[in-house]
Amino acid sequence: MPRSYIKLFLLLPLVLLFLSAHRPPGRGGNRPKNVILLIGDGMGLTQVTAGMYTNNNSLNLEAFPITGLMKTHSAKQLITDSAAGATAFACGCKTYNGMVGICKDKQAYPTLLEQSEKLGLATGMVTTSSITHATPAAFIAHVKDRGMMEDIATWFLKTDIDLFVGGGMRYFNNRKTDQRDLVAELIAKGYNVSDFHNSPLPNPNPQTTMPFVWFAADEEPQKVTEGRTYLPDATFMASNFLKKRSEKGFFLMVEGSQIDWGGHAQNAEYTIKEVLDFDMAIGRALEFARADGETLLIVTADHETGGMAIIQGSEMGNLEVQFVTDSHTATMVPVFAFGPGAEQFGGIIDNTDIYTKIKNLLQL
Ligand code: MG
Ligand code: ZN
């Protein structure tokens, strides 16, 4: 056999390896085309358990085949806040509490959402806090202090995010730090913007694929116990909308923001109702993912809030709950995964691994 053929044979395994590593998404294998990252802010294992027993011993989360545990500490502190927690997911680095989309070297790093957008994937966020709050902010903004809400709002015009749903409209159109009207700027940029004043639910025009924004409140949206209902429907709507927006796939972040606020308030009913609303959103994401077949769902938390414990009750509910703090704790939080690539999320992982694994799976 001529030498050149022998060389070719030696190269063959390398070529096959290259081809398998660059297999397009959604063509078999364990790589998703779409990723939905669902973050229950402050949702530790007890919050999940309390939701389950309050809901006739049943949660949509039980359909997830893979579970893991995740460490949540930030760069210098054992007890993270939501800004550092979300920055770990979004940018893959441990950072200081309070910082948004900035790592501990004080530099801004491109987020999963920004990287997805750059590669032509569709992107979106749906939250039950203001859209400028720490968790969503870390996926699109780069500021040193999570309190800079009006600054954070300006970042929504710097990335071509396809959809966002949440509160915080006043940081866009009733600003104290400058005279900009960011709602007008979004409309000028081609967004279809509506809000709770004129539309009770986020509802993009199905005839068009214009990028879409719906504001749920001027500042923070209502609690579930006050009548807020949009999260489950918005999650399903956003998934379908983003699938239509790009053939290359999508990245969607969904946050059950107020589970954390129930913990800060040491209010069991507030916490549990928010967990159940978030679980309904998870159910709608599952409905989408089952039909789609190319979507990876990851459900986790940035940290636990309240040091919540169930000390009495039955599997049919009537739980008695105690909190040991009105702040966050360092306990590991659960991770649940469903769909192509889910098997990578078992075991004990770090919050920064969420970034690395999603980045690799979407080949960002
Ligand atoms: Mg949050
Ligand atoms: Zn909190």
Side-chain angles (χ1 to χ4, degrees), residues 39-42 82-83 86 129 133-136 146 255-258 260-261 302-303:
I39 302 172
D41 197 317
S82 293
S129 64
H133 215 269
T135 311
R146 58 184 285 174
E255 188 196 17
S257 318
Q258 298 195 31
D260 175 63
W261 302 353
D302 47 358
H303 53 75

Side-chain angles (χ1 to χ4, degrees), residues 35-41 43 61 64 89 126 135 139 231 235-236 239 251-256 278-286 295-302 334-336 338 354 358:
V35 170
I36 308 178
L37 174 61
L38 300 112
I39 302 172
D41 197 317
M43 189 181 74
L61 271 175
F64 283 59
F89 297 151
V126 176
T135 311
F139 285 85
L231 184 66
T235 300
F236 191 64
S239 307
F251 174 76
L252 170 64
M253 194 285 285
V254 174
E255 188 196 17
F278 185 53
D279 187 64
M280 278 169 58
I282 292 163
R284 300 306 300 279
L286 268 173
T295 301
L296 168 65
L297 307 182
I298 304 149
V299 180
T300 189
D302 47 358
V335 181
F336 306 87
F338 176 99
I354 297 287
I358 293 175

Side-chain angles (χ1 to χ4, degrees), residues 273-293:
K273 291 275 168 63
E274 294 292 337
V275 168
L276 292 178
D277 179 63
F278 185 53
D279 187 64
M280 278 169 58
I282 292 163
R284 300 306 300 279
L286 268 173
E287 181 185 343
F288 174 85
R290 282 191 173 120
D292 180 66

Side-chain angles (χ1 to χ4, degrees), residues 55-121:
N55 191 47
N56 293 318
N57 189 9
S58 158
L59 283 181
N60 289 309
L61 271 175
E62 293 177 75
F64 283 59
I66 302 294
T67 52
L69 291 170
M70 192 182 75
K71 308 178 194 187
T72 67
H73 61 274
S74 58
K76 273 275 170 65
Q77 282 160 294
L78 185 63
I79 317 286
T80 191
D81 81 327
S82 293
T87 299
F89 297 151
C91 302
C93 62
K94 299 275 185 187
T95 193
Y96 302 115
N97 288 2
M99 301 217 302
V100 164
I102 291 184
C103 297
K104 64 179 180 181
D105 60 1
K106 309 279 165 72
Q107 301 297 310
Y109 286 84
T111 72
L112 287 176
L113 188 148
E114 290 167 324
Q115 294 177 46
S116 299
E117 192 60 48
K118 206 166 199 175
L119 284 183
L121 280 75

